[in-house]
Amino acid sequence: MKMTTIGIDLAKNVFQVHGVNEHGKVIVKKSLKRDQVVPFFAKWTTCLIGMEACGSAHYWAKKLQALGHTVKLMAPQFVKPYVKTNKNDAADAEAICEAVTRPNMRFVPIKNGEQQAVLSLHRARQGFVKARTAQANQIRGLLSEYGIVIPQGIRHIAKHLPEILTDHVDNLPGVFHQLLQRLGEHLKELDRQVSELEMQIQMWHRQNEASRKLEKIPGIGPITATALVASIGDAKSFKDGRQLAA
């Protein structure tokens, strides 16, 4: 019998597959190792494949699309109601297989490599910004223990820390003075990383027509515009503006 629909529970090393025919009869129910996935799907005629949208979903979606299959991604919370038994890989794959055929199911657009790269820039930048804020707060907290208060804002730390290191050289213990120098250098490095990533995002923004159009909307700059373009992709994938916003 011809298999028409397959649900895949993605993982790092072992993937669970659940396939049915047009009448819903189970044709395949097995586990695959990572290097077995592509050969397994290459031998089957084209069919509908469902997966939960997760870290590696876009990679596997593009791999299976290259084999001619139709791949659809779904948010995990929309698949959960279709799990019939206790949660395990086999039950999840069966639930995915059923959920992907539902007429009212909402699907996640598959991102291309360029979109994923830009989103990676945003995530890396966000990580550095978070680390920079934490470092600034640590410096401010350590200085307060010696009665030295710096106004709120990272720019004030960059401005006042050199003055503090110079003016309080005799009032601060040598070990603490050296520590402040180390933390100050680390803060500068984090700030440099953020600036360089923002420059890369700006370069991509200038080369992308959709991102430049979004920037013309009041309140939207290059950072927000590039994040929207990379996250949304083809806006036609959404039914309406409310669905896109959600």
Side-chain angles (χ1 to χ4, degrees):
M1 290 186 178
K2 180 182 177 182
M3 187 160 56
T4 59
T5 310
I6 301 176
I8 309 176
D9 184 52
L10 298 175
K12 290 183 179 179
N13 299 311
V14 180
F15 300 68
Q16 187 69 34
V17 175
H18 186 96
V20 299
N21 64 10
E22 59 183 352
H23 303 295
K25 182 179 179 181
V26 178
I27 304 298
V28 173
K29 189 175 182 179
K30 64 181 299 184
S31 298
L32 297 173
K33 292 183 179 179
R34 188 179 182 87
D35 58 355
Q36 296 175 325
V37 175
V38 173
F40 173 81
F41 285 96
K43 69 180 182 181
W44 288 98
T45 55
T46 57
C47 57
L48 173 63
I49 299 175
M51 294 184 288
E52 288 184 334
C54 61
S56 60
H58 296 280
Y59 167 80
W60 287 111
K62 292 193 286 286
K63 280 283 187 182
L64 299 180
Q65 280 181 332
L67 298 175
H69 298 289
T70 299
V71 184
K72 294 187 176 181
L73 306 183
M74 299 164 288
Q77 63 265 31
F78 295 150
V79 176
K80 187 177 180 180
Y82 296 93
V83 179
K84 298 183 178 67
T85 60
N86 295 330
K87 182 175 174 60
N88 54 57
D89 291 349
D92 287 349
E94 182 180 358
I96 293 168
C97 184
E98 182 175 348
V100 74
T101 61
R102 297 301 90 193
N104 296 323
M105 178 58 63
R106 295 180 182 179
F107 297 105
V108 177
I110 298 172
K111 294 178 177 60
N112 58 40
E114 188 175 11
Q115 286 175 285
Q116 288 180 276
V118 175
L119 284 176
S120 296
L121 285 176
H122 277 277
R123 292 192 186 102
R125 175 188 172 275
Q126 185 179 12
F128 282 123
V129 169
K130 186 177 180 179
R132 183 180 64 179
T133 302
Q135 184 65 88
N137 290 337
Q138 185 184 43
I139 292 172
R140 185 178 287 107
L142 292 173
L143 285 170
S144 68
E145 295 181 11
Y146 286 86
I148 302 172
V149 178
I150 296 179
Q152 291 293 323
I154 293 178
R155 62 185 181 86
H156 289 296
I157 293 180
K159 176 181 177 181
H160 293 290
L161 188 58
E163 299 173 1
I164 293 170
L165 291 172
T166 302
D167 298 343
H168 296 268
V169 66
D170 297 327
N171 301 328
L172 298 175
V175 173
F176 185 69
H177 192 273
Q178 292 176 358
L179 175 63
L180 284 179
Q181 288 180 317
R182 182 186 296 273
L183 297 180
E185 290 299 319
H186 187 219
L187 184 64
K188 288 181 182 178
E189 175 60 22
L190 292 172
D191 193 56
R192 185 183 67 82
Q193 294 288 354
V194 171
S195 299
E196 289 185 359
L197 288 175
E198 287 178 350
M199 286 177 61
Q200 285 186 268
I201 293 172
Q202 287 270 10
M203 288 174 61
W204 189 85
H205 165 72
R206 288 194 291 268
Q207 297 170 3
N208 187 276
E209 183 181 358
S211 184
R212 294 198 305 273
K213 287 181 179 179
L214 282 173
E215 189 188 17
K216 295 178 182 178
I217 300 174
I220 294 183
I223 298 296
T224 304
T226 53
L228 281 170
V229 171
S231 299
I232 295 169
D234 185 4
K236 294 179 181 178
S237 302
F238 299 90
K239 181 180 179 180
D240 50 37
R242 179 176 294 180
Q243 191 180 100
L244 185 149

